[in-house]
Amino acid sequence: MAEPSLAVRRKSRPGSVSKRSRAPVQPSAVCSPVARKRLSSGGEGPPAETPCSNESEEDMFGDHDSFYGNDSLLAEVDDIEKKYLQDKNKNIKVAGEIIIGNQSGIHQKKQDNFSNSENTVVLKADKEDAFQMNENDTVDSNQELTESILDDLPSSQLLYFEKMRELSSGSRISPVSERRNKCVNFSLDEIRSPSFCPDTEHRNRPTDFSSESKCDLFKTETLKDHLKSAMTGNAKAQTLQVSKTKQLKEAVLSEEICVARKTIESSSVDIGPFYGLPSKVKDLFRQFRGIEMLYEWQHDCLMLESLQQRKNLIYSLPTSGGKTLVAEIIILQELLCRQKDVLMILPYVAIVQEKVRGLSSFGIELGFLVEEYAGSKGRFPPIKRRIKKSLYIATIEKGHALVNSLIETERIDDLGLVVVDELHMLGEGSRGATLEITLAKILYTSKNTQIIGMSATLNNVGDLQKFLQAEYYTNNFRPVELKEYVKIRDSIYAVDSKTENGFTFSRLLNFKYSSNLEKADPDHIIALVTEVIPKYSCLIFCPTKKNCENVASMLCKYLKKEFRAHREKEKQDLIKNLENIGNGSVCPILKQTVPFGIAYHHSGLTNDERKSIEEAYSTGVLCLLACTATLAAGVNLPARRVILRAPYVANDFLKKNQYKQMIGRAGRAGIDSAGESILIVQEKDKHLVQDLVNSPLENCYSSLLLELTKGMQSLLLSLVGLKIAVTHEEVNNFMCSTLLGIQQQLLSKEKSLSEIIKDGLENLIEKGLLKGRICEKDHNSECTLTITPLGKATYKGSIDLAYCNLLYRELKKGLEGLILESNLHLLYLATPYDMTSNCSPDWMIYLKQFNQLSAAEQKVVDIVGVPESFITKKASGQAIRKNVDSAVVNRLYLSFVLYTLLKETNIWSVSEKFNMSRGYVQNLLNSAASFASCVLRFSEELEEFWVYKALLTELTKKLTYCVKTELIPLMEVAGVLEVRAKQLYDAGYKTLAHLANANPETLVKVIEHLSRSQAKQIVSSAKMLLSEKAEALQEEVEELLKVPTDIPGTC
């Protein structure tokens, strides 16, 4: 166990009430009290020479050591000094030097007024933590003498030393004084840094003093004179404006980080105050999360031998089991103790933003940066920080681009840890393929980067363990018991795997329905929800978005009027907030349902609407949400009861993984004693549901082959581009270490993996992305593959290989006649290709929008290849003889939507104008912002497209925020959306600096519908962003001022 920290508590002088205490320090790392007191003085090196005589100074104390007239202390000092000077065999060290104690503790000599009977010294690090240590070892008398003579100096003495140093800096220093200064003082430059961890050998090395120097020193000035001089300076000096409490806390944190770092580096399971972290971390979890103690499984997991040895780990627990907390503690260990950067990969943008808000407050308190990599946000490569370490929180796609940039700049070893949430997504389509590629590259290029994967739904863990070279930990713990039920007609059955059919009868549903109600609600949803709401919360998962709205609307028609009275004012405030979001418009269904405490939640909502509804549900203003399956995988919104409207997601029968995620939302830790899930089943689906609830979880299979252009081909291209593997043989070796390589017998029965690789490389050569020849055995350099400029631009821009050549042609064509009278032409180039297939233009609207364009803008339509006659004939229903590419037509239509959106900056009005759901318009905007940033990086790699760099940089920013220019600085803060930004701006918070220095209590008072916790998160996020920008500028300055090592004519 790490040794407890301690410090010496000095007895107060007679008449003194207050006591001084030191920051707790590791026994082997005790620093000079004088030096520690100087941490904020800004000085460096020894203080100036003290005058040899005090006769010229006015003696403020006379023969006394204080104004109280008590001369006992100086008399004692004088007597002791003379006594020990007479003993030639004693090695008396210079007064003012602070003895660095050994491992057994700090020992003090106290005579008369100083009792030496106490063998225990105690310091309270804060209000809760106290550390004790007993003195067991014998100490010689010369240590006893000097240990506490200058036990503690007032902070004002610091200024005195600084002034004396300045006065004497230009004068000559006698050899005797110089020797004395060396004896008395310590250099500060090594201990000034809060993260400094002193070297043990250096600390414990005794200082060698010759007898001559000691003699000279004591001839120059007696100990009594020296002490009186110090007191005089103390009395005269001004008090430094330094918070001693803050100083002590920083010292505690610094020492504990040192202890934790040494403990972890030694790979010992015997760890420090809080799992190898400063005790302050424990306090922060209590303060920010309300976590008093860890669950038993969390403790066991953190104490695993595999984690102590920094092995990769996969751990799996049910939803709501507390997996994220374990990951966060491991992340903090990496950032604070090992001083390495960390990448956290999360599945969705909303979860990334939520996590950035949640961890920013930790970053502010503990001194690390939190950087968001989602949508269009993120730098590639990230800024290399000299001092602070970074926690990158990224979506799957941005995480992949980040890893690529680190490999390319040979900085992958700076990444000490990668944490992946929802690891089961490895088996889910193109995003799973991207995640697999990312992890495979990390495993292959960095042997020092640890990977931690977590999920609630894993089955074929063996394959994943082989892929990640990881240990496995699992537990069935849930903080709240989950009771699973299915409802067939009016009977409710408990899910019981021990019975033959998997169900056990539980009860009949108690309800009284009229004939009209029976027709409106044949599945008895009203009866199920009224058992829990409004006192408790409820989620209803529906197969489709339309079904969500219908269920919410139906419930309100038949609920009793008493439901309206529950938190009525807060519900009215929510409706006002939704009206503000829509600039006076609010969804008629929400206007109908919110007074009853009910709302729907799906992708058809805007970001602002979704956030407002989630906040209202979390605070209990809304008691029921009718939602789609995306909520189960998104933000954490638990409920007392979860109802599955049907065992379907859209038209597909429910998978076990999806089922587990949905029912996992049942039961709120610390609120509910139990959670319930009820799956509503029709008689026709009874057997399918029996198989569903009793079947194991689905296996996780590699998606590299299923997603060809985003999977296998994308991987092969980046392997060559990053020079990870540049021959067929090297590529083969790499592929064997992927999940596909481990599962190749199952997934590629028709062709061998080597044949698949060869086909993929040949395809890339045909597309002009690679060049070279493919050889089975690489015996000469002619078989080495190289990447073309187009290939490099494609993988660095994260462009889908299916569209890279098309994008290049369109950008090239744009150079011939790019129309910049408006944003329309650029917007067309930034409109995502993959959204065109889901677009069905309304031809009358298409024609109307075309007619509203200026002559120059209509020319853009002609340049991209959509004739006016085509649109006119389509709108009038005439036959079309000339074929026009439907993808181009649809893409241009989406460009019109984006163009209107940037002009009006209101999603509601644009969605009505184009007869689209506002959620679709919101998704289009988010996708366009992300794709614009990809096209920008694509253009940066091709010199011929230099002109696009400035144009696309500005366009990306406009698409990302889609607000008036003055609101952009506020919307850069995680969690601040348009409505909140308007409120803040109107209240006078117009810049990032305003927000970073705001008082959360004041924000709560002046901003409507803002809770205290939200205000604190906003301020923390603003501080983090401001700190990140300041750090980036500082890094740039230091890089500019750095002296080159290769200056001609220098050695």
Side-chain angles (χ1 to χ4, degrees):
M1 205 70 171
E3 294 184 47
S5 304
L6 58 93
V8 178
R9 183 171 56 206
R10 187 179 66 177
K11 290 190 175 181
S12 57
R13 292 176 179 166
S16 174
V17 178
S18 63
K19 291 184 179 180
R20 286 187 175 189
S21 60
R22 291 222 188 101
V25 294
Q26 185 72 3
S28 62
V30 178
C31 297
S32 157
V34 176
R36 198 157 53 240
K37 292 285 290 182
R38 295 178 193 165
L39 278 174
S40 59
S41 69
E44 199 171 305
E49 173 187 349
T50 308
C52 294
S53 171
N54 287 330
E55 291 175 2
S56 62
E57 287 282 327
E58 180 186 355
D59 194 340
M60 299 178 69
F61 300 95
D63 292 325
H64 305 292
D65 66 340
S66 74
F67 289 114
Y68 290 101
N70 181 358
D71 62 352
S72 61
L73 177 61
L74 290 178
E76 273 180 36
V77 169
D78 210 16
D79 290 343
I80 294 167
E81 182 182 19
K82 288 175 182 177
K83 176 184 173 183
Y84 281 93
L85 278 173
Q86 291 168 4
D87 189 352
K88 294 181 181 180
N89 296 324
K90 299 288 184 181
N91 292 323
I92 299 178
K93 296 187 178 182
V94 179
E97 176 188 358
I98 307 303
I99 305 300
I100 306 300
N102 60 16
Q103 291 285 345
S104 61
I106 298 175
H107 305 278
Q108 262 187 306
K109 174 66 180 177
K110 301 179 181 178
Q111 294 184 351
D112 299 323
N113 293 344
F114 297 91
S115 169
N116 61 358
S117 62
E118 286 185 27
N119 288 331
T120 303
V121 283
V122 179
L123 167 76
K124 279 203 169 186
D126 50 32
K127 292 180 181 179
E128 299 171 19
D129 301 300
F131 300 95
Q132 297 190 355
M133 177 165 281
N134 294 326
E135 300 183 59
N136 298 320
D137 298 340
T138 317
V139 190
D140 62 10
S141 55
N142 44 342
Q143 280 180 314
E144 291 177 0
L145 164 70
T146 54
E147 187 68 59
S148 292
I149 290 173
L150 294 176
D151 183 46
D152 202 0
L153 292 177
S155 59
S156 57
Q157 187 64 24
L158 301 174
L159 188 59
Y160 171 72
F161 281 135
E162 289 300 312
K163 287 183 177 179
M164 291 298 292
R165 184 182 299 116
E166 288 169 9
L167 288 171
S168 63
S169 60
S171 62
R172 293 177 59 192
I173 301 175
S174 70
V176 175
S177 298
E178 189 174 349
R179 281 198 299 274
R180 175 169 56 77
N181 286 341
K182 287 180 182 176
C183 298
V184 174
N185 299 286
F186 290 91
S187 174
L188 296 181
D189 40 5
E190 285 193 342
I191 63 171
R192 192 170 286 115
S193 168
S195 61
F196 171 65
C197 190
D199 179 55
T200 308
E201 261 185 62
H202 180 73
R203 281 196 304 265
N204 293 334
R205 189 187 306 135
T207 309
D208 184 29
F209 293 92
S210 67
S211 57
E212 182 188 351
S213 66
K214 280 182 275 189
C215 246
D216 288 343
L217 176 59
F218 281 99
K219 284 175 186 173
T220 305
E221 182 181 15
T222 67
L223 179 59
K224 178 179 176 181
D225 291 338
H226 182 87
L227 189 55
K228 286 176 69 177
S229 174
M231 289 176 175
T232 303
N234 178 43
K236 288 185 173 183
Q238 298 175 2
T239 303
L240 282 178
Q241 298 300 311
V242 177
S243 165
K244 186 159 185 176
T245 305
K246 184 177 179 183
Q247 235 177 341
L248 292 175
K249 284 183 178 178
E250 286 178 355
V252 173
L253 181 60
S254 175
E255 289 295 338
E256 289 186 346
I257 287 175
C258 291
V259 173
R261 191 180 303 153
K262 278 190 266 180
T263 301
I264 288 177
E265 283 171 358
S266 66
S267 298
S268 169
V269 293
D270 195 12
I271 56 180
F274 182 66
Y275 300 99
L277 287 164
S279 55
K280 182 176 182 180
V281 174
K282 184 179 179 181
D283 298 336
L284 291 176
F285 276 115
R286 184 187 296 115
Q287 179 185 341
F288 297 142
R289 305 279 178 80
I291 296 171
E292 294 290 338
M293 59 187 295
L294 271 63
Y295 297 128
E296 186 179 348
W297 84 263
Q298 292 171 327
H299 172 77
D300 293 343
C301 186
L302 287 166
M303 296 297 288
L304 287 173
E305 189 72 29
S306 54
L307 273 185
Q308 307 307 315
Q309 295 173 3
R310 298 200 78 243
K311 292 182 180 177
N312 296 342
L313 178 70
I314 299 169
Y315 63 100
S316 176
L317 280 96
T319 303
S320 304
K323 295 184 294 297
T324 305
L325 178 59
V326 171
E328 287 175 351
I329 291 173
I330 297 170
I331 286 169
L332 293 176
Q333 287 174 345
E334 196 69 31
L335 289 165
L336 300 181
C337 302
R338 297 191 187 94
Q339 292 287 298
K340 291 279 191 177
D341 296 328
V342 176
L343 169 61
M344 189 177 198
I345 298 177
L346 301 170
Y348 303 110
V349 173
I351 305 178
V352 168
Q353 292 172 341
E354 184 183 39
K355 189 58 66 179
V356 168
R357 291 196 302 273
L359 288 176
S360 288
S361 48
F362 284 86
I364 295 296
E365 293 291 333
L366 297 171
F368 62 86
L369 298 172
V370 179
E371 301 185 41
E372 180 183 341
Y373 279 76
S376 61
K377 292 184 179 180
R379 296 173 186 248
F380 301 98
I383 295 171
K384 187 174 176 63
R385 315 282 182 182
R386 286 184 174 83
I387 302 172
K388 290 186 178 181
K389 296 302 166 186
S390 291
L391 168 57
Y392 310 115
I393 304 180
T395 56
I396 292 171
E397 294 77 14
K398 290 291 180 179
H400 179 221
L402 178 66
V403 168
N404 279 348
S405 68
L406 290 174
I407 293 172
E408 185 178 31
T409 53
E410 298 181 348
R411 287 169 50 195
I412 190 65
D413 283 329
D414 291 348
L415 202 60
L417 174 68
V418 175
V419 174
V420 182
D421 195 9
E422 309 295 355
L423 187 63
H424 62 270
M425 290 195 73
L426 276 168
E428 296 186 12
S430 62
R431 307 196 76 216
T434 304
L435 181 57
E436 181 181 345
I437 291 168
T438 305
L439 295 175
K441 286 176 181 173
I442 293 167
L443 287 163
Y444 196 82
T445 58
S446 176
K447 302 305 177 189
N448 300 318
T449 304
Q450 185 182 18
I451 295 176
I452 305 290
M454 52 181 169
S455 175
T457 54
L458 288 177
N459 191 29
N460 57 330
V461 179
D463 287 352
L464 300 182
Q465 278 186 267
K466 287 179 187 175
F467 168 45
L468 295 178
Q469 302 155 33
E471 302 287 318
Y472 180 56
Y473 176 88
T474 187
N475 195 303
N476 291 322
F477 172 82
R478 270 190 118 257
V480 178
E481 182 188 3
L482 174 60
K483 298 176 181 178
E484 291 180 51
Y485 300 98
V486 295
K487 176 191 165 295
I488 303 172
R489 292 189 295 273
D490 58 353
S491 298
I492 294 179
Y493 300 86
V495 174
D496 186 356
S497 58
K498 296 175 183 176
T499 61
E500 187 177 343
N501 64 359
F503 301 147
T504 302
F505 177 78
S506 177
R507 65 185 174 98
L508 283 171
L509 191 61
N510 185 21
F511 64 94
K512 293 180 181 178
Y513 272 29
S514 65
S515 57
N516 286 338
L517 184 53
E518 188 72 44
K519 290 177 183 177
D521 182 24
D523 293 325
H524 313 122
I525 294 173
I526 294 174
L528 291 173
V529 302
T530 50
E531 289 179 345
V532 288
I533 66 167
K535 187 178 181 181
Y536 301 107
S537 57
C538 182
L539 293 175
I540 303 177
F541 285 103
C542 304
T544 65
K545 289 183 282 189
K546 189 64 179 173
N547 194 224
C548 291
E549 297 172 18
N550 291 342
V551 166
S553 185
M554 181 271 293
L555 286 171
C556 294
K557 288 177 183 176
Y558 296 99
L559 284 178
K560 295 178 181 177
K561 300 298 181 186
E562 292 85 66
F563 281 89
R564 299 178 69 100
H566 180 72
R567 302 182 73 162
E568 186 173 10
K569 183 183 182 304
E570 290 159 283
K571 288 186 284 195
Q572 288 303 318
D573 288 343
L574 175 59
I575 291 174
K576 286 180 185 175
N577 193 33
L578 292 171
E579 284 177 351
N580 291 337
I581 290 168
N583 281 357
S585 301
V586 65
C587 170
I589 295 173
L590 289 176
K591 197 168 187 178
Q592 173 198 4
T593 62
V594 167
F596 289 89
I598 295 169
Y600 64 85
H601 183 288
H602 57 59
S603 60
L605 295 168
T606 66
N607 291 343
D608 284 292
E609 287 175 318
R610 198 178 304 129
K611 188 171 174 58
S612 294
I613 287 169
E614 287 168 0
E615 288 173 357
Y617 178 82
S618 296
T619 54
V621 176
L622 297 176
C623 56
L624 186 146
L625 294 182
C627 52
T628 53
T630 52
L631 185 138
V635 291
N636 187 23
L637 295 175
R640 174 66 170 267
R641 176 175 287 180
V642 169
I643 299 170
L644 279 69
R645 173 75 178 74
Y648 290 91
V649 173
N651 296 320
D652 299 324
F653 194 78
L654 202 60
K655 293 179 182 177
K656 184 61 177 278
N657 288 350
Q658 294 170 325
Y659 172 72
K660 280 290 185 184
Q661 280 195 320
M662 290 180 191
I663 67 171
R665 295 298 182 199
R668 297 164 299 171
I671 301 173
D672 299 325
S673 56
E676 300 173 332
S677 70
I678 301 174
L679 172 58
I680 298 173
V681 181
Q682 306 302 320
E683 195 68 44
K684 65 182 179 66
D685 293 326
K686 183 178 177 180
H687 294 295
L688 290 173
V689 170
Q690 284 175 338
D691 293 338
L692 171 72
V693 296
N694 294 303
S695 64
L697 293 162
E698 288 85 8
N699 287 335
C700 180
Y701 293 117
S702 171
S703 300
L704 286 180
L705 292 182
L706 296 174
E707 299 291 334
L708 197 59
T709 57
K710 289 186 178 179
M712 176 62 83
Q713 289 187 9
S714 175
L715 172 56
L716 296 176
L717 179 66
S718 61
L719 286 180
V720 176
L722 295 168
K723 298 178 182 175
I724 296 171
V726 294
T727 66
H728 187 215
E729 189 176 357
E730 288 175 354
V731 173
N732 272 340
N733 292 337
F734 178 93
M735 292 303 299
C736 288
S737 65
T738 62
L739 183 60
L740 173 61
I742 290 161
Q743 296 176 335
Q744 58 181 296
Q745 302 298 326
L746 293 169
L747 301 179
S748 55
K749 294 177 180 177
E750 295 178 2
K751 287 184 177 181
S752 69
L753 185 57
S754 181
E755 290 174 322
I756 293 169
I757 292 168
K758 186 179 179 182
D759 290 347
L761 291 172
E762 287 175 347
N763 188 274
L764 292 173
I765 292 171
E766 286 174 18
K767 285 183 175 180
L769 304 176
L770 293 179
K771 56 185 178 181
R773 287 193 308 113
I774 301 167
C775 305
E776 292 297 331
K777 294 290 182 181
D778 182 26
H779 293 297
N780 55 67
S781 59
E782 291 179 11
C783 293
T784 300
L785 295 165
T786 56
I787 195 164
T788 64
L790 177 59
K792 187 176 182 182
T794 300
Y795 91 78
K796 290 193 77 170
S798 302
I799 303 295
D800 188 337
L801 270 64
Y803 305 118
C804 61
N805 283 296
L806 176 59
L807 176 63
Y808 177 81
R809 288 196 300 270
E810 289 188 329
L811 290 173
K812 186 81 173 172
K813 189 176 180 181
L815 292 179
E816 297 170 8
L818 191 64
I819 295 175
L820 298 176
E821 184 180 288
S822 71
N823 286 325
L824 182 60
H825 202 165
L826 276 175
L827 279 170
Y828 175 80
L829 296 174
T831 302
Y833 292 105
D834 54 6
M835 290 199 71
T836 57
S837 58
N838 298 323
C839 175
S840 300
D842 182 315
W843 295 106
M844 290 304 296
I845 295 173
Y846 209 144
L847 181 61
K848 184 179 178 182
Q849 290 299 315
F850 176 83
N851 290 331
Q852 290 175 356
L853 298 176
S854 67
E857 289 169 341
Q858 287 184 355
K859 191 177 178 183
V860 173
V861 177
D862 189 51
I863 288 172
V864 301
V866 181
E868 179 184 355
S869 59
F870 175 83
I871 300 172
T872 306
K873 287 179 179 178
K874 274 286 189 181
S876 61
Q878 297 178 32
I880 307 291
R881 293 181 182 178
K882 185 180 179 182
N883 287 330
V884 179
D885 189 342
S886 61
V888 174
V889 173
N890 293 355
R891 195 165 177 233
L892 181 63
Y893 187 67
L894 294 178
S895 302
F896 284 173
V897 177
L898 291 169
Y899 180 54
T900 309
L901 194 55
L902 286 187
K903 283 198 296 185
E904 299 185 12
T905 69
N906 183 267
I907 290 174
W908 265 91
S909 62
V910 173
S911 64
E912 289 173 2
K913 191 170 286 186
F914 285 87
N915 196 24
M916 293 176 167
S917 76
R918 58 196 185 283
Y920 181 86
V921 175
Q922 176 78 73
N923 186 37
L924 172 63
L925 180 63
N926 294 343
S927 298
S930 182
F931 186 65
S933 69
C934 292
V935 177
L936 172 58
R937 294 204 306 277
F938 179 90
S939 302
E940 286 173 339
E941 294 302 317
L942 296 168
E943 195 174 336
E944 60 194 297
F945 294 149
W946 63 271
V947 70
Y948 287 113
K949 184 176 179 181
L951 296 171
L952 288 171
T953 299
E954 192 59 32
L955 183 69
T956 301
K957 186 179 281 191
K958 286 183 177 179
L959 288 169
T960 300
Y961 301 109
C962 194
V963 292
K964 293 178 180 177
T965 308
E966 62 265 22
L967 297 181
I968 289 178
L970 299 177
M971 288 190 66
E972 287 180 336
V973 177
V976 176
L977 298 177
E978 184 179 1
V979 172
R980 187 74 78 212
K982 284 179 180 176
Q983 288 178 318
L984 291 166
Y985 190 87
D986 292 341
Y989 299 95
K990 300 186 177 182
T991 66
L992 184 60
H994 283 148
L995 212 48
N997 292 286
N999 184 337
E1001 297 299 327
T1002 307
L1003 283 179
V1004 171
K1005 291 176 185 175
V1006 300
I1007 304 297
E1008 288 185 343
H1009 319 302
L1010 183 67
S1011 69
R1012 188 167 279 99
S1013 62
Q1014 290 166 354
K1016 287 178 179 177
Q1017 280 194 342
I1018 286 172
V1019 172
S1020 291
S1021 297
K1023 282 181 178 176
M1024 177 56 66
L1025 186 59
L1026 194 64
S1027 172
E1028 186 188 322
K1029 289 188 172 189
E1031 289 277 340
L1033 290 171
Q1034 185 62 39
E1035 296 287 346
E1036 195 174 333
V1037 168
E1038 289 183 13
E1039 191 63 35
L1040 284 170
L1041 297 177
K1042 190 177 177 181
V1043 179
T1045 56
D1046 57 348
I1047 300 174
T1050 59
C1051 297

